[in-house]
Amino acid sequence: GIALAELAPRLTSPEAKGFGAYLEGTLAFYDGRQSDAAGKFEQAAQAKNGWLADTARYMVARAMLNGASDGLYDKYGYRDDKVALDATKVKASEDAFNAYLKAFPNGRYVASARGLLRRVWWLGGDYTRLDGEYARLLADPNQSLADLSEEIDIKYLQYATSSKNPVILAAMDMVRMRGGGSYAMEACCGKPLTAEELAGQADVFAKHPALYDYLKAAHAFYVNNNAKEVLRLIPDAAKQKEFSHVQFARQMLRGEALAASKDRNTRGFLIDMLSGAKSTSQRSLVELAIAQQDEKNGQIARVFAKGSPVQNPMIRRVLLTNSADAPLLRQQAKNKGVSKEERELATFILLKKQLQAGLYKAFLDDLKLVPTGTKPQTEGYFYPYAVPLEPPLGIFTGAIGGSLYPCPAIKSVATTLNTNPKDSKAQLCLADFMRTRLDSDWYGYSPDDKSGNLGSTKSLLDSKPFSRMAIYQRLIADPKVTGNDKAYALHRAIRCFETSGYNHCGDQDIPVAQRKSWFQQLKRDYPDNPIATSLKYYW
C-alpha cells in the first residue's frame, strides 16, 4: 500500500484531510508519540463528519492521559517513585475528557471517558472526587458490581483513608478488621480499626442503621472476640423469604457467633437461612457454613446423607479429598444417587490413600469399584477441583512399565505386598507407581492444618504418611537386597534430589556426602548395569 507520508499530500478535501490527520494521530499514538498524536487528533476533531469529530475529540484526551502517565511505571508495571508526577499534564488530560463530555454528551465514548476520568483522578491522587463518582456508580442499577468492586478494591481501598459513602467506608472498616495469619494486622490491612473510630462514623451511617450495627457487631467479633455482643446487636432473622446483601451478612455473622459460642442450635439456624438464600453465592456460603459445622462436630457423613442440604459440588469435593475416611469414600463410590464425577472422585481418593497407607487387602477389595472397561492411563496428574472433573481411574488398570526397571500392574504389586510387605521389587514398583502415575513425589508431609477451614480435619487414611525415600533407605540398608533391586533403590534415592538439590520424596534430610556415597556405591557395585550407567550425576 501507499505509505501514510506519501498519501497525505494527495488529500485535498477538508474531510479527506481530517481523516488523514486522524490516521497520522493514530500512528503517533501507538508509536508512543503522545504529544504529536494529540495535535493530529485535535486537527481531525475540527471535521464536519460526525464520527470523526466524536472519535478524534475522545482520542485527544486519550493521548494526553497517556502522556501524563509516560515514565511513571517500571517495566513490571509498578509506580516508579523516582519519577515525579507532572500535575500540569494530569490537569490537561482531565480538561480534555471534560471537553469531550461537554461537546458530545451522548457520544460513542461517554462511558469510556467517564471511566478514564476516574483513572485521571486516581493518577493525581484526587480521592475525594473518586469517592463521589464511586458513590454514583454504586447507586446505578445498570452498573456491573463485580467489575466495579474489583476497581474500587485495587484503585481506591489501597490508597484512600476515608470515605463519605457508607458502602465504601464499610469496606474500608472491614479491611482494617482483618488480621492474623502470616502477617501482623497493620502489615496486612493498615492500622487496626478502633471502637472509638467506628463510633465517630455514626454520621456517615445515619441512614443505614442495619449496616452500622453489622460493622459494630463485626468489630466485636473479629477484633474483640466477643460473640455475645454479636448476638445482642443482631437479632435472629434467619427465616426470611429473601435477604438483601446487608441482611445476609448480618445473619451469617450471627451464625459465626453462634458457632463460636458452641450453641447447639447453630446448624438449625443455618438450615433456617437456606429458604431465603436465593442467589447462588448466598446458597453456597450457607452450605459451606453447614459443612464446616458438620466437620467440626465430627459428622462429615451428614454432608453426604440422603437429603443433605449441602449439594455444592466443590464443598463435597473438598471433604472427600481431604477429610473423608474409607467407609464414607466407599459409600460415595457406590452411591448411584450422586453424580458420576463424585462416585469416581471417591473411588480415586479411596484407592490412592489405601496404597499410601499400606492397606493392600482393602485396596484389592475396593479395586472392583473401578468401572469395568476403564482404559489404562499412564498419566495420573489430577486436580480434584477441576471442571470438568475427570479422575484418572485408568492408572489402576494398566501396567506400570518402565524400561530400566519394568513393573507389572498395581493390582499385581498390591497382591504381592499383601502377602509379603517386605518384598523389595514390589516396594520399588509401588514407589514407581506413586512417582509416575500419581505425578507427585511427596505424599503426606504437609503440616497439620489447624486453620479450621473446610477440609482441615485429617482423615484416618492420612495418618500413615507415604514416603518414597523411606522405601529406598530401607532397601539400601537391607543386606538381603541385591542385584537390580539394590541398584534401582540407589538410583531412585539419588534422583530424589534431581535438579533442585532438595528431597522431593519425603521429609528426610540427606546430606550431600550421603548422596555422593550412594552414587559411588552404585557405580562401584553395578558398573555395567544400565540402572547405574544411565545416572550421570548426584545432587
Side-chain angles (χ1 to χ4, degrees):
I2 302 173
L4 192 56
E6 298 175 20
L7 179 63
R10 305 186 187 187
L11 304 176
T12 56
S13 71
E15 187 173 37
K17 288 181 178 180
F19 277 103
Y22 180 81
L23 290 175
E24 290 182 284
T26 301
L27 180 62
F29 182 84
Y30 289 108
D31 275 351
R33 296 179 285 112
Q34 303 303 332
S35 180
D36 292 344
K40 291 296 181 181
F41 288 136
E42 183 67 47
Q43 181 181 337
Q46 310 306 315
K48 293 181 180 180
N49 180 280
W51 177 90
L52 182 58
D54 185 342
T55 305
R57 177 59 59 199
Y58 166 73
M59 289 303 296
V60 168
R62 285 280 308 273
M64 295 183 79
L65 175 56
N66 280 2
S69 304
D70 277 350
L72 295 179
Y73 303 96
D74 62 22
K75 62 181 180 180
Y76 302 108
Y78 293 103
R79 181 75 166 83
D80 187 346
D81 294 332
K82 299 174 185 176
V83 180
L85 179 73
D86 189 331
T88 302
K89 289 184 177 180
V90 174
K91 181 64 169 60
S93 65
E94 179 183 359
D95 291 344
F97 279 115
N98 284 327
Y100 170 77
L101 292 170
K102 182 178 180 179
F104 298 94
N106 298 308
R108 292 173 173 81
Y109 311 100
V110 166
S112 176
R114 286 189 177 278
L116 289 170
L117 263 178
R118 299 199 300 275
R119 182 170 182 83
V120 170
W121 296 332
W122 170 75
L123 192 64
D126 192 342
Y127 299 115
T128 299
R129 274 196 285 186
L130 265 182
D131 188 42
E133 181 66 1
Y134 285 138
R136 184 187 71 81
L137 292 171
L138 286 168
D140 182 353
N142 298 316
Q143 181 66 39
S144 169
L145 286 179
D147 293 341
L148 182 61
S149 297
E150 183 177 15
E151 179 184 325
I152 292 173
D153 186 34
I154 296 172
K155 301 296 186 184
Y156 189 78
L157 295 182
Q158 293 187 32
Y159 303 96
T161 56
S162 64
S163 174
K164 294 297 183 182
N165 180 270
V167 175
I168 295 177
L169 183 58
M172 288 178 165
D173 288 347
M174 291 300 296
V175 168
R176 291 178 60 193
M177 290 183 208
R178 295 174 184 164
S182 58
Y183 299 97
M185 182 179 283
E186 192 158 344
C188 155
C189 312
K191 188 177 180 181
L193 182 72
T194 66
E196 291 74 23
E197 283 182 279
L198 187 56
Q201 298 172 356
D203 59 329
V204 179
F205 296 104
K207 295 181 180 179
H208 302 270
L211 177 58
Y212 194 34
D213 280 349
Y214 169 77
L215 290 172
K216 289 187 283 187
H219 191 274
F221 188 75
Y222 295 117
V223 179
N224 295 333
N225 298 313
N226 188 345
K228 290 184 179 180
E229 181 66 4
V230 176
L231 302 178
R232 185 187 72 79
L233 288 166
I234 302 179
D236 186 341
K239 294 181 179 180
Q240 295 184 213
K241 292 184 179 180
E242 60 182 349
F243 296 99
S244 68
H245 294 305
V246 173
Q247 288 171 338
F248 182 76
R250 284 166 59 92
Q251 293 306 300
M252 286 299 291
L253 181 57
R254 181 178 174 86
E256 285 193 78
L258 288 171
S261 303
K262 295 182 169 53
D263 190 295
R264 63 182 181 180
N265 189 44
T266 301
R267 192 178 194 273
F269 171 85
L270 294 168
I271 295 292
D272 286 344
M273 286 189 67
L274 284 172
S275 61
K278 303 297 186 185
S279 70
T280 301
S281 58
Q282 288 183 353
R283 174 83 193 195
S284 297
L285 284 170
V286 178
E287 288 189 20
L288 174 61
I290 293 170
Q292 286 178 312
Q293 274 296 294
D294 288 338
E295 181 181 12
K296 183 178 179 181
N297 294 326
Q299 296 178 312
I300 293 175
R302 293 183 74 173
V303 173
F304 300 93
K306 187 176 182 180
S308 167
V310 181
Q311 293 299 313
N312 183 288
M314 289 298 176
I315 293 173
R316 294 167 73 96
R317 288 186 198 181
V318 169
L319 290 175
L320 288 175
T321 301
N322 298 288
S323 305
D325 286 334
L328 180 55
L329 288 168
R330 194 174 292 118
Q331 168 193 298
Q332 294 310 104
K334 298 177 180 179
N335 189 347
K336 300 298 182 182
V338 301
S339 67
K340 174 176 176 285
E341 288 80 7
E342 185 166 311
R343 291 197 304 274
E344 291 187 349
L345 173 64
T347 301
F348 181 86
I349 297 298
L350 175 64
L351 295 176
K352 184 190 90 160
K353 290 190 174 184
Q354 284 172 334
L355 282 177
Q356 291 172 205
L359 303 173
Y360 305 119
K361 184 179 186 307
F363 170 82
L364 292 167
D365 290 341
D366 289 324
L367 196 56
K368 61 181 178 292
L369 294 171
V370 176
T372 303
T374 299
K375 294 182 180 180
Q377 291 173 264
T378 58
E379 165 51 53
Y381 174 76
F382 177 58
Y383 179 59
Y385 313 118
V387 178
L389 181 68
E390 297 177 343
L393 293 176
I395 65 173
F396 298 108
T397 64
I400 300 171
S403 56
L404 278 180
Y405 194 81
C407 288
I410 192 60
K411 181 178 180 180
S412 175
V413 173
T415 300
T416 300
L417 290 171
N418 185 48
T419 304
N420 179 14
K422 294 185 178 180
D423 185 275
S424 55
K425 182 171 179 63
Q427 288 185 74
L428 288 167
C429 286
L430 173 64
D432 260 13
F433 177 83
M434 293 296 186
R435 178 178 64 86
T436 63
R437 295 301 181 266
L438 288 173
D439 194 33
S440 180
D441 285 321
W442 189 10
Y443 291 94
Y445 282 97
S446 59
D448 290 342
D449 185 352
K450 302 184 186 303
S451 65
N453 293 333
L454 189 73
S456 58
T457 301
K458 194 173 186 178
S459 168
L460 291 175
L461 285 170
D462 295 319
S463 60
K464 187 179 179 182
F466 179 84
S467 166
R468 286 201 292 121
M469 178 57 76
I471 291 176
Y472 303 143
Q473 286 180 301
R474 285 197 302 270
L475 297 179
I476 291 170
D478 188 345
K480 296 179 181 178
V481 177
T482 58
N484 280 354
D485 294 352
K486 178 75 80 174
Y488 198 59
L490 288 163
H491 176 104
R492 295 264 38 121
I494 295 166
R495 293 193 66 175
C496 283
F497 300 86
E498 190 171 1
T499 68
S500 67
Y502 293 97
N503 181 9
H504 50 259
C505 304
D507 66 348
Q508 301 86 346
D509 184 13
I510 312 292
V512 174
Q514 179 63 75
R515 281 125 62 181
K516 179 180 180 181
S517 176
W518 285 342
F519 183 81
Q520 291 172 334
Q521 179 183 352
L522 177 64
K523 294 293 185 178
R524 181 188 66 242
D525 295 349
Y526 306 96
D528 300 320
N529 191 318
I531 294 173
T533 57
S534 64
L535 190 64
K536 305 299 182 183
Y537 314 99
Y538 65 89
W539 290 268

